[in-house]
Amino acid sequence: MKVLFAAPDTLWSHWSQAIARACPEAELTRSGDPASFDAIIYAPGGEIEDLSPYRNARLVQSLWAGVERIVINQTLTQPLARMVDPGLSEGMAEFCTGWAMRAHLGMDRYAQDGIWRNGDTPPLARDRRITVLGMGVLGSAVTQMLAGIGFDVAGYSPSGRGPDGIPILSGNALPQALARAEILISLLPDTDGTRNLMNAENLALLPERAWIINPGRGTLIDDQALIAALDSGHIAHAVLDVFRTEPLPSDHPFWSHPGITVTPHIAAETRPETAATLVAQNLRRVMTGQPALHLVDRQKGY
Ligand code: NAP
């Protein structure tokens, strides 16, 4: 089986070794006669963006979970599968839980300023309401970790999809999902339906002094509306891992805003050691006439 690696050169060394271990029968190369390839492994930023000559490829396997850049590629006619990786899910659950704990325990109050603040009883997780927007692979993993700690956590997905044992709000219940969110975690893909979902109107539905943690996509939040909500004191703090422009420009107001923590798109990494298993599985599936796992619905965009 001949497989094209259509991804930035910086990824080649690590990924080619991991894929060679997981799928030794795949002949993975970075160039060749387009018509000779059975499948394409893809990440944005590589040299190949015109996929039309790869007419015999039965699969385009994305190395990333977010597929907003490839899904709009007009030359893509092959089935597109996105990345689902246990390492990615674990990393995202740990990232969101860590920052939720900072919000929940009010860790920022305990600066080294000489003030003995022992007047308040620390809260318990069971008294803290968290809403996770998006009950896909990552949102579900985050929700389960938070529920395991004892948080009063609920999920929201348009379809009502979500893990067993977790209260799920669906359809037109987004306002209720937001109204309960002392901590809001957004794990939505970048689509026509999610862009600017957290606009001024929806930000106003969050409880006073809510926290927002956004490792989904930067387009989900209206930047100016967020700054206004922080400045007014309605939102206490936002932890932002993803941005409309990445890297976040050095003059962007998010960098200096005291109510914003910027993390540089590091919430969860795809780890070749674990992710190569899915790549191998999908390559074998398409070579034996089975549909790949985790196919993207191009109409929905995720
Ligand atoms: P997924 O499995 O495709 O799940 C997406 C979820 O979003 C689904 O529950 C879906 O609802 C929901 N959704 C879609 N459109 C919506 C809308 N308009 N309003 C509300 N909910 C909507 O995706 P995933 O694997 O969990 O990944 C989620 C996103 O995380 C990725 O798309 C990517 O952008 C981001 N990500 C970030 C990092 C990082 O390091 N920061 C790493 C990996 C991924 P239904 O269940 O009803 O379909």
Side-chain angles (χ1 to χ4, degrees):
M1 150 187 20
K2 225 175 142 191
V3 181
L4 177 72
F5 189 79
D9 287 345
T10 49
L11 302 179
W12 170 252
S13 165
H14 205 163
W15 276 99
S16 58
Q17 289 171 37
I19 291 169
R21 278 193 296 275
C23 194
E25 67 270 38
E27 184 195 332
L28 188 66
T29 67
R30 285 186 280 183
S31 61
D33 173 12
S36 69
F37 288 105
D38 299 303
I40 299 171
I41 292 174
Y42 177 88
E47 283 172 17
I48 295 156
E49 290 297 337
D50 180 4
L51 299 168
S52 47
Y54 299 89
R55 58 180 184 277
N56 295 320
R58 304 175 201 186
L59 171 71
V60 174
Q61 172 67 57
S62 170
L63 291 182
W64 307 151
V67 290
E68 67 276 2
R69 285 169 67 180
I70 174 75
V71 83
I72 56 166
N73 185 327
Q74 296 296 325
T75 67
L76 173 73
T77 52
Q78 305 83 350
L80 171 67
R82 60 189 210 90
M83 179 51 66
V84 171
D85 163 40
L88 191 65
S89 299
E90 282 172 50
M92 187 60 83
E94 291 176 17
F95 176 91
C96 292
T97 301
W99 291 104
M101 276 298 190
R102 173 184 169 197
H104 167 62
L105 294 174
M107 290 177 181
D108 294 353
R109 288 187 302 164
Y110 302 105
Q112 307 302 307
D113 58 3
I115 300 174
W116 187 253
R117 291 184 182 84
N118 76 338
D120 299 335
T121 305
L124 292 174
R126 64 170 180 246
D127 298 322
R128 180 73 64 195
R129 291 192 306 278
I130 301 182
T131 295
V132 180
L133 295 184
M135 283 291 96
V137 175
L138 299 179
S140 295
V142 169
T143 308
Q144 285 171 309
M145 188 175 279
L146 292 169
I149 292 169
F151 282 108
D152 179 357
V153 63
Y156 173 82
S157 63
S159 63
R161 162 159 65 129
D164 290 346
I166 304 289
I168 303 296
L169 294 141
S170 64
N172 58 11
L174 180 64
Q176 291 92 309
L178 297 177
R180 69 180 300 287
E182 294 174 278
I183 301 172
L184 181 75
I185 299 174
S186 60
L187 270 164
L188 303 178
D190 175 18
T191 69
D192 290 344
T194 61
R195 250 160 252 147
N196 286 323
L197 187 77
M198 293 312 295
N199 54 18
E201 192 184 336
N202 280 339
L203 287 168
L205 296 177
L206 294 171
E208 283 294 312
R209 308 299 297 158
W211 275 59
I212 296 174
I213 300 170
N214 182 24
R217 280 295 180 258
T219 52
L220 308 178
I221 302 181
D222 177 334
D223 290 6
Q224 294 314 316
L226 175 64
I227 288 175
L230 287 160
D231 289 346
S232 74
H234 179 63
I235 304 294
H237 200 94
V239 180
L240 306 176
D241 185 58
V242 283
F243 306 92
R244 284 164 195 273
T245 305
E246 295 184 7
L248 184 65
S250 57
D251 59 352
H252 195 286
F254 283 171
W255 282 114
S256 54
H257 198 290
I260 292 178
T261 300
V262 170
T263 58
H265 203 143
I266 45 73
E269 289 292 325
T270 308
R271 290 168 171 79
E273 294 73 20
T274 47
T277 305
L278 172 72
V279 175
Q281 205 176 359
N282 266 351
L283 290 175
R284 290 184 184 123
R285 285 179 71 96
V286 297
M287 291 311 288
T288 54
Q290 299 174 74
L293 301 171
H294 312 301
L295 285 170
V296 172
D297 179 332
R298 295 206 53 198
Q299 290 303 113
K300 288 183 171 176
Y302 66 94

